[in-house]
Amino acid sequence: MKVGEQRWDEAIAEADEEYRGRMHNICCDNCHSHVANALNRMPDLNYDAISMIRISKWDMVKLCVLVFVRAPYVNWKQGIFSQFLPIAILLLLFVLLPTLLTK
């Protein structure tokens, strides 16, 4: 099995080919599934560098949880704030705005 940058590039190209033309949706077959597919094709010895946790089979839930709790760019408070505040504001607008306009 090839290892290193070339194999990583091939794994991404293979995952891209599999997901080309697929209809992506928000719940089941989305960008997290695409990335998990590419990670599953990459050499096993590189998984420790990504997550510091040995994962033998990636899926969208494991990937999403690891990105959410282990991302080095924001702390957990900023992560929650940046992830959920925009959708909370939109939901409030769509729920409150019609009730305020009908009164």
Side-chain angles (χ1 to χ4, degrees), residues 26 30-33 35-36 39 55 58-71 83-84:
I26 193 122
N30 54 30
C31 57
H32 293 98
S33 303
V35 172
L39 287 170
I55 295 177
W58 289 89
D59 60 37
M60 63 182 235
V61 175
K62 291 175 189 172
L63 181 66
C64 189
V65 168
L66 282 173
V67 166
F68 190 72
V69 297
R70 304 218 21 140
Q83 286 285 329
F84 298 113

Side-chain angles (χ1 to χ4, degrees), residues 7 20 22 29 32 43 47 52 59 69-71 77 92:
R7 180 60 199 133
R20 185 175 320 245
R22 270 195 193 182
D29 198 10
H32 293 98
Y47 287 167
M52 303 305 217
D59 60 37
V69 297
R70 304 218 21 140
K77 290 178 187 174
L92 282 173

Side-chain angles (χ1 to χ4, degrees), residues 14 20 23 27 30 55-56 60 63-64 89-90 94 96:
E14 291 167 7
R20 185 175 320 245
M23 178 66 72
C27 295
N30 54 30
I55 295 177
S56 59
M60 63 182 235
L63 181 66
C64 189
I89 290 171
L90 286 173
F94 283 115
L96 293 179

